[in-house]
Amino acid sequence: MSQATRDRLRQRFLDTRGDWVPEGPKGKTPTGELPRRPYVRSDERAIGYVPYEKGELPDPLPATLVAFYLPQFHTIPENDEWWGKGFTEWRNVTRALPQFEGHYQPKLPGDLGFYDLRNVEVMHEQARLAREYGISAFCFYFYWFGGKTLLETPLRNWLNDKSIDLKFCLCWANEKWTRTWDGRGDEILIDQKHSPEDDIAFIEHVAEYMQDPRYLRVDGKPMLLIYRPGVMADMQSTSSRWRTWCRENGIGEIHVSYVQAFEKPDPRDIGTDSAIEFPPNMLDASSLAHYQHLINPIYNGSVLDWRDVARRPPLAVGYPLIPCVNPSWDNEARRPGKGRTYLHASPKAYRDWLISTISTRLDEASSERLLFINAWNEWAEGAVLEPSAYYGHAWLEATRDALWRMRRANGSTVSSPPPLCAVVHAWYPELLPEILLSLQGSGLALRTIITTPPERELAVRACLRTLDSENIEVVVHENHGRDILPFIKVANRLEREGFDVVLKLHTKRSIHRQDGDLWRRDLLERLVSPQSAPALSDAFLADETLGLAAPTGHLLPLSFYWGANEASVAHLATRMGLPPPRPATETFVAGSMFWVRLRALRPLLDANLGSQDFEREEGQVDGTMAHAVERMFAYSTRSAGFRVDTSSALCGIDEQSRAGYPFARRG
């Protein structure tokens, strides 16, 4: 049986017997505890939020990036009839709710707002953003039903406004529309009328678009996509009719491609020139449902691991296959309480996937070097590059960053050591001179960033003037998450800026202890003294596997200080996509000062935490998200494939281990 026949039979089964598919594993039903974060509002910013930043692009671009584009964001009479007056996709988007702990819903737009695509200025702004961040073209879904088009107004406005400076192409979404939003099921809203006559009527209609100078071409041929070739009676004959008509009517040769959303036949067997991947469709991923703590006790959706999709090795298929990457996916808005959510997508991981795909899968000899992205604005399916309330421009910035990193990787072979940065949290400004003088005497050229709450800012700046250190950057952060939350926010930014190794310090006083000053000075001595700091910097430069350097004597077994942190650590591990650490064998850095390679913190930085995940400051001494993160720095490092070592070992100092830990009680 051919692949095309198997695909067709599978789809026929799902259309008519989809309820026979067995249910997947369930999450943990809530037992009465309050959620681990207050669900007060849904538009708070993620720790990795990125504001709009104007920037340049490499020239030439290392790839032509084409983003799928959904035109469903304006009213039409048919949707008014089917879904209620005033319906647009935004109604789906805003009804979504989080179904389990850490489920980011609803996904709300950022700078562009709840736009109406009948307003051509919106499309001007979308095109401008796409160009600035490295997207070369939009691929519009085109809705044609036996001579009737739906949602064509935005595309018609684009065609008529020649000042919109961005390439585009069409993808015929040739499936029936049903109430299940996926082309399946028997409750049909509008059906297709595929026939030889319809083939000709369709190509006549879209010819005007293909003649536009901005239309995307492959080897000079207009590119036309079809979403589901398997529902056509004879795709090979349809393709032949299109080609003949185009040759006879001044279009010339065309490049026909199909989308691998529901099937994967060899394009040569169905009369198309190429196929286009469509992740996460048709790709296997591990189920994560049983790890989730449910908010909705009757949640019946599926929770899958996005990382499996992004990390899959490409298959050698033997036919022209255009790669596609996906920033994220979650269609909970389309299917409340039973959606399909892919966890652990992040802007940085998407950036890495984009870089890997460009560097390993695009033909160097090809002038186009096409790569598709799913998608620009699939808000109800959680696949979005556009600015969002939660991430800002993070996905777009990751796209531009990927293009620049590709350019740098292909540029000069001579590279200088990455810059070093010290991040200091100043809750006690009176202790800042001690730390800054230690940094100045370390023998290293360190960029320094000081984080401090608003009520301490004036004192911090006064201290910097006294020390003639006004070139140091001060980042004001509310008193929330202790020294941990400000550090994670700054670490996210430094990673984007290309920093590799960071020194984390804070004005530790421990006023509940008599030896608090001794504790702080012992940490500083082991991390930034003239004897230790240069040696630690050299160790990171010499050994790419080194992820974290802990001050000797302060790297402790997790079991010694488990206390009230077990539940919060387990929750954070789930958010990071990792199994809970084993307290008997895992370690953490007491005092939360260390040198760290930012790549080693990726499991933590990619956990998509928000400020709302950290408790309000109420003088807690244990059990908070900040305490959990403190206990996960070393675990994140090892989970990312790096090693943890101590300052004395890295500096070649032979120190006897002390009995017990003098600065905290075991508990």
Side-chain angles (χ1 to χ4, degrees):
M1 185 184 298
S2 69
Q3 180 67 50
T5 302
R6 285 198 297 270
D7 291 335
R8 183 175 287 110
L9 291 174
R10 183 179 68 251
Q11 289 310 311
R12 186 178 300 167
F13 171 80
L14 291 172
D15 280 346
T16 58
R17 296 291 184 269
D19 57 321
W20 289 8
V21 177
E23 295 180 356
K26 307 299 181 191
K28 300 177 178 67
T29 302
T31 56
E33 301 95 339
L34 291 173
R36 298 198 65 88
R37 52 154 286 196
Y39 290 97
V40 177
R41 55 187 296 177
S42 57
D43 62 343
E44 295 226 39
R45 295 179 173 183
I47 291 173
Y49 180 94
V50 177
Y52 168 75
E53 298 171 357
K54 190 171 181 59
E56 302 296 324
L57 288 168
D59 187 16
L61 291 173
T64 298
L65 305 184
V66 185
F68 285 103
Y69 182 104
L70 182 73
Q72 180 80 279
F73 300 96
H74 65 99
T75 58
I76 59 173
E78 292 81 3
N79 275 338
D80 284 349
E81 177 186 347
W82 297 329
W83 304 105
K85 184 70 173 174
F87 175 86
T88 74
E89 186 79 327
W90 294 125
R91 187 177 297 177
N92 284 335
V93 171
T94 56
R95 71 180 179 177
L97 293 172
Q99 301 294 310
F100 50 87
E101 293 290 350
H103 188 198
Y104 158 43
Q105 283 289 358
K107 302 182 188 299
L108 302 178
D111 291 12
L112 296 178
F114 294 97
Y115 51 73
D116 186 329
L117 287 180
R118 292 172 297 185
N119 180 359
V120 73
E121 291 305 315
V122 170
M123 304 184 82
H124 273 281
E125 184 66 7
Q126 290 174 319
R128 182 191 65 81
L129 278 174
R131 287 195 313 273
E132 282 196 28
Y133 285 93
I135 304 299
S136 298
F138 287 155
C139 181
F140 289 90
Y141 289 114
F142 189 78
Y143 301 99
W144 166 278
F145 302 88
K148 180 181 179 62
T149 63
L150 297 179
L151 301 168
E152 192 180 4
T153 297
L155 187 55
R156 182 60 57 179
N157 290 342
W158 188 291
L159 181 68
N160 293 334
D161 189 338
K162 305 303 181 185
S163 65
I164 301 178
D165 184 19
L166 191 74
K167 292 182 181 298
F168 71 97
C169 64
L170 304 184
C171 175
W172 181 16
N174 63 314
E175 60 186 1
K176 60 191 176 186
W177 274 18
T178 67
R179 285 203 173 272
T180 56
W181 292 102
D182 56 7
R184 298 172 178 169
D186 297 325
E187 193 172 355
I188 299 172
L189 301 175
I190 185 169
D191 208 348
Q192 292 289 346
K193 299 177 181 178
H194 299 306
S195 68
E197 294 75 20
D198 188 57
D199 292 342
I200 298 303
F202 169 80
I203 200 68
E204 286 179 341
H205 188 90
V206 302
E208 184 179 6
Y209 293 104
M210 292 194 290
Q211 290 172 313
D212 190 281
R214 296 166 296 176
Y215 198 86
L216 183 66
R217 287 166 167 77
V218 176
D219 296 327
K221 305 171 186 175
M223 186 178 198
L224 180 61
L225 282 63
I226 186 162
Y227 189 62
R228 296 187 65 175
V231 303
M232 306 295 286
D234 184 348
M235 185 62 218
Q236 195 160 49
S237 297
T238 294
S239 178
S240 178
R241 291 185 194 100
W242 289 349
R243 296 179 194 278
T244 299
W245 189 94
C246 287
R247 292 189 199 105
E248 293 175 351
N249 289 273
I251 303 297
E253 298 296 332
I254 61 173
H255 183 102
V256 182
S257 190
Y258 84 90
V259 178
Q260 292 187 335
F262 296 92
E263 54 211 302
K264 291 185 177 182
D266 187 321
R268 295 166 295 191
D269 294 339
I270 60 172
T272 66
D273 299 293
S274 62
I276 300 172
E277 294 174 333
F278 197 73
N281 285 27
M282 303 288 289
L283 297 171
D284 294 330
S286 306
S287 174
L288 301 175
H290 57 290
Y291 297 113
Q292 310 312 314
H293 291 267
L294 298 183
I295 298 170
N296 174 13
I298 60 171
Y299 174 64
N300 198 34
S302 57
V303 185
L304 304 167
D305 197 332
W306 177 90
R307 297 170 300 184
D308 291 346
V309 176
R311 295 171 182 171
R312 82 203 188 290
L315 297 176
V317 294
Y319 56 75
L321 179 63
I322 298 171
C324 180
V325 300
N326 162 247
S328 57
W329 182 275
D330 180 3
N331 68 354
E332 174 63 28
R334 289 268 180 89
R335 302 173 60 82
K338 50 185 178 182
R340 181 164 55 109
T341 299
Y342 284 80
L343 288 185
H344 308 306
S346 72
K348 293 181 181 64
Y350 154 74
R351 177 199 66 196
D352 295 345
W353 186 10
L354 191 53
I355 291 171
S356 173
T357 304
I358 294 172
S359 61
T360 63
R361 299 193 57 196
L362 297 189
D363 183 2
E364 291 289 344
S366 169
S367 58
E368 281 83 10
R369 290 174 59 80
L370 285 179
L371 190 156
F372 277 69
I373 301 174
N374 181 25
W376 173 263
N377 64 340
E378 281 279 10
W379 285 95
E381 294 183 340
V384 179
L385 291 180
E386 283 184 329
S388 70
Y390 192 65
Y391 283 110
H393 291 68
W395 299 102
L396 287 171
E397 180 58 39
T399 304
R400 184 164 63 189
D401 190 15
L403 297 174
W404 271 114
R405 292 187 184 219
M406 280 297 305
R407 172 68 175 271
R408 287 191 288 268
N410 295 331
S412 172
T413 57
V414 179
S415 60
S416 57
L420 302 172
C421 186
V423 180
V424 184
H425 186 64
W427 174 250
Y428 299 106
E430 63 272 21
L431 299 180
L432 197 52
E434 176 185 342
I435 292 179
L436 294 180
L437 290 172
S438 296
L439 290 174
Q440 291 175 7
S442 68
L444 296 177
L446 289 162
R447 175 183 172 184
T448 303
I449 297 175
I450 297 175
T451 61
T452 194
E455 61 269 30
R456 263 56 171 185
E457 181 185 5
L458 291 179
V460 166
R461 294 193 183 279
C463 171
L464 295 181
R465 287 193 296 272
T466 301
L467 296 174
D468 193 25
S469 300
E470 294 187 66
N471 60 326
I472 292 175
E473 181 183 356
V474 177
V475 175
V476 179
H477 188 282
E478 62 179 321
N479 182 25
H480 186 193
R482 310 290 170 90
D483 57 297
I484 300 296
L485 178 53
F487 173 74
I488 297 175
K489 287 190 171 183
V490 172
N492 261 292
R493 173 162 66 97
L494 292 175
E495 197 276 346
R496 288 192 294 109
E497 293 177 2
F499 281 83
D500 187 27
V501 177
V502 170
L503 169 63
K504 180 188 179 302
L505 304 173
H506 61 109
T507 55
K508 186 174 183 60
R509 168 158 276 177
S510 303
I511 57 176
H512 60 288
R513 299 186 58 85
Q514 293 183 344
D515 57 357
D517 288 337
L518 178 62
W519 191 356
R520 178 184 68 257
R521 289 167 185 157
D522 190 64
L523 291 163
L524 289 174
E525 174 67 23
R526 296 173 188 277
L527 294 174
V528 295
S529 71
Q531 294 73 36
S532 60
L536 293 174
S537 172
D538 289 344
F540 277 98
L541 192 61
D543 184 358
E544 281 286 323
T545 70
L546 177 60
L548 186 146
T552 298
H554 300 268
L555 186 65
L556 307 177
L558 202 58
S559 59
F560 279 26
Y561 303 95
W562 203 222
N565 295 296
E566 182 176 3
S568 54
V569 167
H571 167 71
L572 180 57
T574 299
R575 295 290 300 274
M576 294 167 65
L578 300 173
R582 298 171 61 187
T585 57
E586 194 53 61
T587 58
F588 80 105
V589 182
S592 191
M593 298 194 203
F594 46 78
W595 289 85
V596 68
R597 196 182 300 276
L598 291 178
R599 282 174 287 156
L601 296 185
R602 282 288 299 276
L604 179 60
L605 299 181
D606 286 355
N608 298 329
L609 297 173
S611 297
Q612 66 272 25
D613 288 299
F614 288 75
E615 296 82 356
R616 292 176 55 189
E617 181 57 49
E618 296 176 340
Q620 302 96 322
V621 297
D622 228 350
T624 69
M625 177 63 81
H627 291 99
V629 173
E630 180 183 15
R631 283 155 178 77
M632 294 292 269
F633 283 121
Y635 186 52
S636 175
T637 297
R638 295 189 179 97
S639 299
F642 295 89
R643 65 184 183 87
V644 176
D645 213 331
T646 63
S647 56
S648 59
L650 294 168
C651 296
I653 300 173
D654 186 16
E655 269 192 57
Q656 289 186 339
S657 60
R658 51 192 170 203
Y661 189 61
F663 302 114
R665 290 180 301 174
R666 179 174 177 173

